Amino acid sequence: QSEKELQDVVKQQEEKMLKLIDKSGEVTMLKEEVSQLKRSLQRAETEAKVLWEEMRDKEPKVDTAHVQDRVWLRQEVDKLRLLLLEKRDEKRLLYDK
């Protein structure tokens, strides 16, 4: 009977280890995804700055306030999207615990 109990404990520990490995892999994957999203956001912000400078230099007739608002709104959308993903990841991690 002791041997059976020991086998059950070992089996439970193996299952726990497999779950932890799965969660660790998920966390690593999510961290990489967040990192990629941050890089994409930085790239988009840079592109917006360049676009803004080009439009300011070439098209003095353009409604610069409108363009600036659109660029700002786009940046805010990207930031909110990133925040949503981070919160979703946190929620998933809490749920897994």
Side-chain angles (χ1 to χ4, degrees):
Q1 185 175 357
S2 294
E3 186 177 330
K4 180 167 174 31
E5 289 174 4
L6 184 59
Q7 287 175 348
D8 288 342
V9 169
V10 168
K11 184 177 178 180
Q12 289 174 356
Q13 291 300 321
E14 287 175 353
E15 289 172 2
K16 287 180 183 178
M17 283 179 42
L18 289 175
K19 286 180 183 178
L20 287 174
I21 290 170
D22 287 346
K23 287 180 184 179
S24 174
E26 268 186 60
V27 168
T28 301
M29 186 173 59
L30 291 171
K31 284 182 179 179
E32 179 60 31
E33 187 176 340
V34 167
S35 178
Q36 289 174 358
L37 288 169
K38 285 180 179 178
R39 284 192 297 272
S40 294
L41 176 60
Q42 192 173 30
R43 238 185 341 264
E45 288 174 341
T46 301
E47 289 173 10
K49 286 177 187 175
V50 169
L51 176 63
W52 173 248
E53 288 172 2
E54 282 183 27
M55 291 185 71
R56 186 184 60 209
D57 292 341
K58 292 182 180 178
E59 305 258 348
K61 297 176 186 175
V62 171
D63 181 5
T64 56
H66 174 72
V67 173
Q68 191 173 20
D69 284 345
R70 287 193 60 189
V71 168
W72 179 81
L73 286 172
R74 188 66 174 155
Q75 289 174 342
E76 290 303 309
V77 166
D78 288 341
K79 288 176 188 176
L80 289 172
R81 189 175 290 128
L82 182 61
L83 183 61
L84 174 66
L85 289 172
E86 289 174 356
K87 293 300 178 186
R88 198 178 288 165
D89 293 347
E90 289 175 13
K91 183 178 176 183
R92 185 179 297 140
L93 289 174
L94 289 173
Y95 180 76
D96 288 345
K97 288 182 182 180

